[in-house]
Each structure stands twice: as C-alpha cells, then as structure tokens.
Amino acid sequence: MFRTALRNVLAHKARLLMTVLAVMLGVAFVSGTLVFTSTISDAFQASSQKGYDNVDVAIQPRSQDSHSSAPGAAPRLDQELLDKAARVPGAASATGTVSGFTAIADKKGELIGDGFSTLGGNYFPGKDGQDARYPMRGGTVPKGPHEFALDAHTADKAGYKVGDTVRISVDGPVREQKLTGIFTTDDGTVAAGGSLALFDTPTAQKLFATPGEFSEIDVKAATGTSQTALKSAIDKVLPKDGAEATTGKQLADDQAKAIAQSMDGMKNGLLAFAGIALFVGIFIIANTFTMLVAQRTKELALLRAVGAGRRQVTRSVLLEAFVVGAVAAVAGLAAGIGIGAGLRALMSSTGATVPDGPLVIEPSTVLASLLVGIVVTVLAAWLPGRRAAKIPPVAAMNSVHATATTKSLVVRNTIGALFAGAGAAGVLVATGMDDGKVVMGGGAVLLLIGVFILTPLLSRPLIALASPVLRAFGVAGSLARQNAVRNPRRTAATASALMVGLTLITGLTVIAGSVQKGIDKLATDSLKADYVVSMASHTSLSPDVAKKIAGLGEVTASSPLRHSPSRIGTDTAYLTGVNGRDFGKLTRLDFTKGSLGDLRGGRSVVDDVTAKEKGWQPGSRIPVTYEDGKKGTLTVSGVYQGNQMINGILLDNATLAPHQKQITDMQVMIKTTGGPTDATKASLVKALGTNPAISIADKQDVSDGIAKMFNLMLNMLYGLLAMAVIVAVLGVINTLAMSVFERSQEIGMLRAIGLDRRGIKRMVRLESLVISLFGGVLGIGLGVFFGWAAGELISGTLSTYELVLPWGRMGIFLAMAALVGVLAALWPARRAARLNMLAAIKAE
C-alpha cells in the first residue's frame, strides 16, 4: 500500500500541482510572517540594546501616580543627585540626560523623519570635554542656546554641513540654530532611520525639561564592579520618593520585552490572514482529493477485492496527502523566507524606520511551517479517504455509489440550516448588546459554516437565475449550466473558496467606509472652527503659538486646548482648559442639560457619560485638587453630549493655568474672517514661520487625513486578502481541469456530434464564470450582512456612525469574481478543446 500510494502521487503530478500550490501559498504566508516579525523584532532589540552599552545603572523619576506621568510633569533629578551618583563606590562616571521631540527641516523646509523618530537631547561632556556616546565626525561640540550638533546620517541625507543654519522646532515656534558639529552614534532611533539633534545641557534642559533638572541619570560602573553592586550603592543615596535605580540589563530586557509585545499585534494580524488563506486552501485540498479518489474508485475497489482493508485504503490516501503536504510545506517555507525578506525591504523603501540586521529564521518558524503544511493537507484529505474506504467493492465496480442518497442530502441540509440559523440569530442578538463582540464573532463563524454546508442546496436556484443569460450562448451555455449543477458538492466547494475572500473584503470595505463617514460627520458637526493647529508629531504645542495666533488680524476667535491632571475625591481626572470667551464660537456641542453660557471663573461643563457616572447636574459643585496640589471648587453649568473629539470636564484656561506646573497646548482652534481659503491658510502658515513641525488643518484636511488612513488600511488588507483570492483561483482551475479529465468521454462525444472546439472552450469558460459569480454573490451578500452587524456595535461608541454601502466597489468585487472565472478557465478550456475525440470516446 505504501508503494501504491507513492506511485499514485507520481502518476498524478499535474493534477496535484494545484493542490501543492494552494498549500504552498498558505505556508509561505505563515513562514513569511514569522520570518518578517522575527527579523524586525530582533533588529529593534539589537538596536535598542546598543543604547544601553554605556549604561550600567539608570536613575529615573519614580512613577508614583498619574501626576508624575501627566503632560507637563517635570523630572525631579537635579545636579546634586548627579554629583552624588558619580561619587558612589564603584561608579566610573555619571551622565545626566534630557530628551524630547525635535523637528528638523530640510533645505526645502520640509520635516525630516516622522513623529517620535525625530528626537533631540543633550551633549554631556566628560572630563576630557567629549561625550563618549557621540564621537564628533566633524566640527565642534554645541555651546550656547543657538548652536546644535546633528547625527551624520541625517546630515548626509539632508545635505547639511558644519556652519549651516538649520530651522528646527521643539514645541511650535521655529528656531534657527547653527550647526557646529556632526557626530556618529549607535543610538537605536538613528539606526532605525530617525534623527537626533544635540544641544548643550542648559539649552536642552530649557527645551525639554526644567532648568537644572534631568530626565535620567546614567551611571557607568568602574572595572570590576557589577551592575547589581553598583545599583545597591546608588540606592543608598537616592531620595526616598523622588527616584529609582534600574540596572542596564534590566532596562534592555524590559525594552526587548516591550518590542516583542509590540510586534505581537502585527504578527497575529498577519497570521490571521495566513489562516484565512489556509482555510480557503482546505476546500481546494478536500475537493482535489475527493475528485482523485472518485477517479480511482475502481482501482481502490480492486485493492479491496484482493484483500486490502478499509484502514489500508484510508491510510494510502492519507499517505498521498502527507507526501503532497511535505513537498508543499518545504516549498512554502522557502517562498516564505523570500516573502519575509521582501516585506522588510518594502518597509525600508517606503521610509519606515527599520534598523539594519540579519534575516532571522528561527527553528520554531521551520517547525511551524512544516506542521501547518502537512497537518492541513492530511486533515483535508481524511474525509475523502474515509468515504472511499467505506464504499463496498462491488458497488464501486458498478459506480452505484456515485449519486448521494436522499438521506445524506437531507441530513446535510438540516445540519446546515441549524448552523446558519443559530449563527444568524447570534449575530442579530449581538447587535443589541453593549459589548457583543464575542457573541457576534461566534455567530459569524456559525453562519459561515452553515452557509458552507448549505452551498450545494443554494447552488441550484442561484445558478438557475443565470439560465436566461446562458441560453443566449446556445448549446454551449445550456451545457455549462447543466455541468455547473451536475455535482453540487463540487461546485459548492469551489465557489466557497472564493466566497470566503470576498466576504472578508466586502465586510471590511463596508465597515471602513461607514466609520470614515461617521468620523467625517463628527468633525463637521462638532467644529465650527475653520482651522485646527497642532504639532505634526501630536506632541504638545508651546503656548507662544496660541498667543501669536490670537494676535493675527484675520483671526476672530481662537482657543487653545490644555490638559491637566487633577483629583476629584479619590479619583484621578483630566481637566480640559479652553478659552471660555471664544469656545462657543469654535464648537457645536449639543447640551442635554443647562448650557455653555459664560465659561468663566469656577464654571465648567461636563460630558454626559461623566455626569451620569458621578451623578452631576447643572448646579452641582465639584471639589477639585489641582495639579499643583491646591484645592478649589467647580460649578457645573451644563451637561453636553461628548464625542471622540471633545469630552470630559471643560473650564476656562484663566482658571486652570495658575495651577499648571508647565503650560502646554494640545491644539489651537481658530475662526477667521475669510473662512477656510487657500489664501487664509497660506497667511497662517507664513505667520507661524513656515514651520514644518506644525500642522494647520481645516475640516477638509481632517476628512482627507481620515480617508488617507482608512484607504491605507484597506489597501493593506486588500493586499493580504489577495492571497485568499489567488488560492481560490487555483481552486477553480483545479476543479475545472479535473472536471475536464472526468468528462473526457463526454467531450469526445460532443465533438463527434458536431460541437466544435470553439464551442467546447465556450462551454468550459461559461461553467467557470457561473461558478465564480455564484461564489462572488454569496461572498458579497455575507460581507454586507457582517459589515452592517459590526456597524451596529460600532455605532454604540461612535454616535455619528452611518452605514455606507460601497456600490461601486461591490460592483468591482463582482467583476473581479467574473474575471477570476474567465482567467481560471483559460487552461482547462484549451485542454478540453485539444482532446482527440476518438481517444476521448474510448477513455474509461
């Protein structure tokens, strides 16, 4: 039986090629994902660990509560503590560091880097006047408030040389700094493609912290002193509540753990799509082995007749599947390694911050790829093998087993109806629940399984709808319709592979389009402001920006938004400061109780969710402990409907500012005389110094930004789901090719009675088109249903959510399904037309 199984694998090389490709693609996706995420994770970890090479013990502010990590909180590490740390037994040196966001403009005035990858810090010279972390490649170290040094990578990329004047921004206002030095560094941010600017320590402290204080103190151990021993010595000189010491090894381990966790989301997302591709591949594998077993029914029956048992027959089929799965898994692993390398190169080419490092292929990746390929193939082949073994030899010889019994069809349809009904009910019930994600997910799975089971039943009436169109193609069209419904199970398995991909694509498109419309509507409904000014990095703005804006002649109203931590009773809450005089001119809030009124003094307004939780009404008095520890009382003047843009406790900045340790703005809303015009925007840009770090966005810009984000996400998902569609194409080709082989005698007879080669080709193409469109209609229908259901859950958190059916894209998806059918039929149709009619008539 072993030799027989191997002979069958080698005898059906062409037929099994599509199955190998289907498994290979799924395995390639799995192995490619694991290689890519392992490579990126290892590169980031190696890069981050370089930053701790000169750190044996780090002293950092102790995070006691939310106040210490709140916006504007200043570090509490001063020069006195730095000197104490440098004098402890076992310490070779101590370095005080401060850092923060620093936007650097290139020679065209555009921002170099992106977001948090553009950093600034301090150059901390040692006894020799040099900072060992940053060796100077050229020029001198920065001295004074108008000088700075730049990393060599960024300087080369931007074309800057020592002596150039460079425009930079830390918190909004543009600063023109003289480039006095260019340095090299192993800093992880720079290695990952970011930028690093260095200032002298007093300047950096003023920009990023508080004069005289550091955000971290790094201590280097003397020769022969361990990190643990040094930490113990430093612990003795630390203030009880202000700081804590951590070894460099612990920091590196924590960083590595954080990087691994951050990669888990990407890995799980990519593996989910790999699972989808494999799930689709299961239909093809099961379909292929079902047809292969059916074609060899008499051969298997003869084996049974000469003494082979049922288990031997089943094992022979599973052995074939094992060989196919092993070959596909090895090929998929090799292809996956290439995919992993390609994805990394793609990320680097798009400007993403990816550090250099070797391609990482872990043993677990190899093992997982082999197991996935072999297990999926063997499991998919088990049912056809078991079914073949149960056929009595005499019945197989006479082919009386070919038609499914009425009982088996009734049982199948009953089970399918139960699954589909339970799944649909679960999805519908979940739409009315506050947190119905789990219920909806379970219901969606049940519904999909139910539809899979019912697909043979659904194929006849749905394909019958195409009869009027097919009749227009004459005999070829009629034969195509009959062939499509001749074996409903095979048609269903083929169409289901395409259905899965289109269900996901359609559902995601409906959800993304609807959420985008809801957020767009939210921005339009909530804001009356013409522009919103913020940092491009989403960090805090200097209050100088709001002052400059308020003084512009074309600005009629403006309001900075400021956040400050506070305590209300025993709970921590963030207060949002606004310009009480102009806030009503810049926003459009719906008040359920009270009104905005004159938001001055101790008056405040609260969103409806917070008011309900606290039991507050207009007139309620709120005892508050501000950021500086002083106590006060706020009076609620109104309760408004909060949303994703504006929520929480709002009060006048004049009331909040005296209690803030460091005043920073998150954004500034503006109303202008000319409204949102290109001329007005250009005037604002010029007034703010043509600053690359500052974003000036009108409502259309906000909408375009949202659209860009969702389109990018959708395009990524489309690219990933294309894998499932490619596998589905292979399934259609596979089914048609084997169907042509099975019907060789029939095709020969059709040729003999007058159907020419063109008619044969047309018959096979139309059959493929009908099957593909059947799968496409089911997939789009299910996708719309799931998209609507998911939207009902989203509408609970996004009040402006509105269902949007992307008719244009759904039309494209249906056309894509038709194209799949046409392309998949090219080779099988050509093969059918080239059959020798006499040889085909004599075929068994």
Side-chain angles (χ1 to χ4, degrees), residues 59 106 148 198 245 250 335 593 616 626 683 749 772 838:
I59 304 173
D106 60 18
F148 86 114
L198 296 178
Q250 182 64 49
K593 299 175 182 177
W616 293 337
Y626 291 104
S683 176
M749 290 295 295
S772 296
L838 295 179

Coordinates of all heavy atoms in Angstrom, one line a residue, residues 59 106 148 198 245 250 335 593 616 626 683 749 772 838:
I59 N 19.2 56.0 36.7 CA 18.3 56.6 37.7 C 17.2 57.4 37.0 O 17.5 58.3 36.2 CB 19.1 57.6 38.6 CG1 20.3 56.8 39.2 CG2 18.3 58.2 39.7 CD1 21.3 57.8 40.0
D106 N 14.5 70.2 6.3 CA 15.5 70.0 5.3 C 15.6 71.4 4.6 O 15.0 72.4 4.9 CB 15.2 68.9 4.3 CG 13.9 69.1 3.6 OD1 13.3 70.2 3.5 OD2 13.3 68.1 3.1
F148 N 23.9 73.7 17.8 CA 23.5 72.3 18.0 C 24.3 71.4 17.1 O 25.0 71.9 16.1 CB 22.0 72.1 17.7 CG 21.6 71.9 16.2 CD1 21.1 70.7 15.8 CD2 21.8 72.9 15.2 CE1 20.8 70.4 14.5 CE2 21.5 72.6 13.9 CZ 21.0 71.4 13.5
L198 N 21.5 67.4 19.0 CA 22.1 67.6 20.4 C 22.3 69.0 20.7 O 22.8 69.8 19.8 CB 23.4 66.8 20.5 CG 23.3 65.3 20.4 CD1 24.7 64.7 20.5 CD2 22.4 64.7 21.4
A245 N 16.5 53.4 40.9 CA 17.6 52.9 40.1 C 17.2 51.6 39.4 O 16.6 50.7 40.1 CB 18.8 52.8 40.9
Q250 N 18.5 45.2 33.1 CA 17.0 45.1 33.3 C 16.3 46.0 32.3 O 15.3 45.7 31.7 CB 16.7 45.6 34.7 CG 15.2 45.5 35.0 CD 14.6 44.1 35.0 OE1 15.2 43.2 35.6 NE2 13.5 43.9 34.3
A335 N 9.6 29.9 0.0 CA 9.0 31.1 -0.5 C 8.7 32.1 0.6 O 8.8 33.3 0.4 CB 7.6 30.7 -1.2
K593 N -28.5 69.1 29.2 CA -29.0 69.9 30.4 C -28.1 71.2 30.5 O -26.9 71.1 30.3 CB -28.8 69.1 31.7 CG -29.6 67.8 31.7 CD -29.3 67.0 33.0 CE -30.1 65.7 33.0 NZ -29.8 64.8 34.2
W616 N -23.8 64.1 38.5 CA -23.8 65.6 38.5 C -24.9 66.1 37.6 O -25.4 65.6 36.6 CB -22.5 66.1 37.9 CG -21.3 65.7 38.8 CD1 -21.3 65.5 40.1 CD2 -19.9 65.6 38.3 NE1 -20.0 65.3 40.5 CE2 -19.1 65.3 39.5 CE3 -19.3 65.8 37.1 CZ2 -17.8 65.2 39.4 CZ3 -17.9 65.6 37.1 CH2 -17.1 65.3 38.2
Y626 N -6.1 70.5 42.3 CA -5.4 70.8 41.0 C -4.0 70.1 41.0 O -3.5 69.6 42.0 CB -5.3 72.3 40.8 CG -6.6 73.0 40.5 CD1 -7.2 73.8 41.5 CD2 -7.2 72.9 39.3 CE1 -8.4 74.4 41.3 CE2 -8.4 73.5 39.1 CZ -9.0 74.3 40.1 OH -10.2 74.9 39.8
S683 N -1.6 82.5 4.7 CA -1.2 83.6 5.7 C -0.9 83.0 7.0 O 0.0 83.5 7.7 CB -2.4 84.5 5.7 OG -2.2 85.6 6.7
M749 N -17.7 12.8 -27.3 CA -19.0 12.6 -27.9 C -19.5 13.9 -28.4 O -20.1 13.9 -29.5 CB -19.9 11.9 -26.9 CG -19.6 10.5 -26.5 SD -19.8 9.4 -27.9 CE -21.5 9.5 -28.3
S772 N -17.9 31.0 -10.4 CA -17.2 32.1 -9.8 C -18.2 33.2 -9.4 O -18.1 33.7 -8.3 CB -16.1 32.7 -10.7 OG -15.1 31.7 -11.0
L838 N -11.5 10.8 -30.8 CA -11.6 9.3 -30.8 C -11.0 8.7 -29.5 O -11.5 7.8 -28.9 CB -10.9 8.8 -32.1 CG -11.6 9.1 -33.4 CD1 -10.7 8.6 -34.6 CD2 -13.0 8.6 -33.5

